[in-house]
């Protein structure tokens, strides 16, 4: 039996193993929305999505036309979490071998949050309809496989905001250094649908402190801009001002949408970031 268990574990994506270990370090309290029975109020009908089982179909409503519909109840909406992790080129940055790339930390935190949510009885999925929200360990495995194989060649990936279920919750993980207008559109549409959620900005320590001095070559993500300078320290104040402006804009956008904003640096422990995310997302319930 032990041999079979070790063989089964060996085929799991390393990211999933790390996420499960990280989630296991977080003590889950009582989950306030877990209810017995199916007597909760009707919420809405929605078209069948990929990943829905046949037993979820409301045949009486579907018989009125050519489309099939699922009957959703209010408690199902409250227990749904959408996840978006930035896969763009800007996230593939690490200032040194001591720190992970931003994308690796964001994927780990996102998947660990999904593990916690599923353990709490919630449905978790990816934005954009790639993986519709579902419960169970198989959904976690699908998400791990997606993150392990997903690549995006764009310098700054825009937030995906399609297929958001009204009045659910959401978690966006990114450096949020790309075009601000795309993020405004995404959060605007989420707020219009009654979603509440959390934005976590994931940054490398060098992006926060700008420790550069002397001759330095700066390269943008992908095929981005290249800038060379003989005195990098002269750029520090202007850079930090721009970073502060972006952070203020992110905080104001979150306040307007009813979301929570947080910052995580890759030199900090992943466990600290996960704990903050868990409590922040619970406050958005």
């Amino acid at each position: 039996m032990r041999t079979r268990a070790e063989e089964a574990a060996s085929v799991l994506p390393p990211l999933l193993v790390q996420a499960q270990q990280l989630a296991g370090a977080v003590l889950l309290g009582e989950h306030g929305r877990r209810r017995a029975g199916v007597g909760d109020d009707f919420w809405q009908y929605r078209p069948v999505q990929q990943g829905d089982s046949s037993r979820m179909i409301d045949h009486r409503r579907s018989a009125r036309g050519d489309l099939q519909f699922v009957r959703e109840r209010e408690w199902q909406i409250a227990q749904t979490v959408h996840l978006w992790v930035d896969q763009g080129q800007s996230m593939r940055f690490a200032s040194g071998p001591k720190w992970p790339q931003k994308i690796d930390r964001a994927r780990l935190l996102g998947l660990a949050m999904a593990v916690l949510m599923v353990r709490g009885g919630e449905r978790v999925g990816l934005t954009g309809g790639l993986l519709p929200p579902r419960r169970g360990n198989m959904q976690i495995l699908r998400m791990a496989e997606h993150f392990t194989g997903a690549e995006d060649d764009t310098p700054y990936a825009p937030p995906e905001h399609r297929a958001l279920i009204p009045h659910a919750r959401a978690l966006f993980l990114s450096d949020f250094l790309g075009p601000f207008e795309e993020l405004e559109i995404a959060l605007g549409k989420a707020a219009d649908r009654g979603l509440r959620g959390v934005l976590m900005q994931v940054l490398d320590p060098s992006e926060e402190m700008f420790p550069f001095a002397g001759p330095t070559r700066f390269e943008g993500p992908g095929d981005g801009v290249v800038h060379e300078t003989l005195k990098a320290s002269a750029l520090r104040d202007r850079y930090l001002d721009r970073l502060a402006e972006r952070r203020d804009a992110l905080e104001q956008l979150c306040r307007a949408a009813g979301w929570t904003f947080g910052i995580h640096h890759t030199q900090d422990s992943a466990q600290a970031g996960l704990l903050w995310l868990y409590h922040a997302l619970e406050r958005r319930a």
Side-chain angles (χ1 to χ4, degrees):
M1 183 179 296
R2 178 177 178 181
T3 300
R4 290 198 301 269
E6 290 176 348
E7 290 175 350
S10 67
V11 302
L12 294 177
L15 174 63
L16 176 56
V17 176
Q18 295 175 38
Q20 289 175 332
Q21 292 173 344
L22 181 59
V26 175
L27 179 63
L28 284 176
E30 289 296 322
H31 199 279
R33 288 181 306 281
R34 297 193 71 172
R35 305 177 185 177
V38 293
D40 296 307
D41 294 335
F42 166 75
W43 183 262
Q44 66 177 1
Y45 290 110
R46 65 165 175 82
V48 170
Q49 299 175 346
Q50 181 181 359
D52 290 335
S53 64
S54 58
R55 66 176 179 271
M56 297 172 63
I57 297 174
D58 188 289
H59 295 286
R60 180 176 297 179
R61 173 63 181 84
S62 301
R64 301 178 190 173
D66 297 329
L67 297 178
Q68 291 182 317
F69 288 87
V70 168
R71 180 186 179 95
E72 290 190 316
R73 295 178 173 85
E74 187 173 0
W75 70 274
Q76 292 176 319
I77 301 299
Q79 290 185 313
T80 297
V81 181
H82 293 284
L83 177 64
W84 176 71
V85 176
D86 188 347
Q87 308 286 336
Q89 290 291 320
S90 71
M91 295 291 288
R92 291 171 170 77
F93 173 71
S95 58
K98 291 194 302 181
W99 320 126
Q101 291 186 0
K102 293 182 289 183
I103 193 170
D104 291 335
R105 179 56 60 83
R107 286 170 170 171
L108 176 59
L109 290 174
L111 190 59
M113 276 297 297
V115 171
L116 290 177
M117 296 295 101
V118 166
R119 288 180 181 177
E122 309 204 23
R123 302 188 305 169
V124 182
L126 300 178
T127 57
L130 293 174
L131 281 176
R134 299 188 71 179
R135 295 184 176 87
N137 292 329
M138 184 57 66
Q139 178 76 339
I140 299 299
L141 180 58
R142 294 189 190 101
M143 295 178 72
E145 291 175 340
H146 171 81
F147 287 145
T148 301
E151 293 184 359
D152 194 327
D153 294 331
T154 57
Y156 300 99
E160 177 59 78
H161 51 75
R162 293 174 298 167
L164 296 176
I165 296 176
H167 304 283
R169 289 175 295 156
L171 170 60
F172 286 8
L173 291 155
S174 172
D175 56 17
F176 299 112
L177 298 178
F180 195 72
E181 295 76 12
E182 297 285 353
L183 182 59
E184 286 182 306
I185 293 173
L187 256 67
K189 290 190 175 182
D192 289 344
R193 287 176 166 261
L195 273 82
R196 294 293 181 265
V198 177
L199 285 188
M200 173 172 271
Q201 185 179 39
V202 180
L203 294 179
D204 183 271
S206 67
E207 294 174 317
E208 185 73 50
M209 299 179 291
F210 200 84
F212 309 104
T216 307
R217 175 185 173 92
F218 297 98
E219 298 182 3
D223 298 326
V225 177
V226 175
H227 179 76
E228 296 186 20
T229 179
L230 297 176
K231 191 177 181 181
S233 58
L235 302 175
R236 187 174 188 273
D237 289 343
R238 279 184 288 169
Y239 169 83
L240 293 178
D241 287 343
R242 291 288 300 276
L243 182 63
E245 290 174 2
R246 172 54 62 97
R247 189 159 292 160
D248 288 342
L250 290 170
E251 291 176 344
Q252 292 177 20
L253 181 61
C254 285
R255 282 197 297 270
W259 284 43
T260 299
F261 175 71
I263 303 167
H264 178 76
H265 301 116
T266 55
Q267 86 270 27
D268 296 333
S269 73
Q271 184 175 344
L274 180 62
L275 282 168
W276 184 91
L277 273 178
Y278 178 74
H279 291 298
L281 197 62
E282 286 297 284
R283 288 196 300 268
R284 293 292 92 198

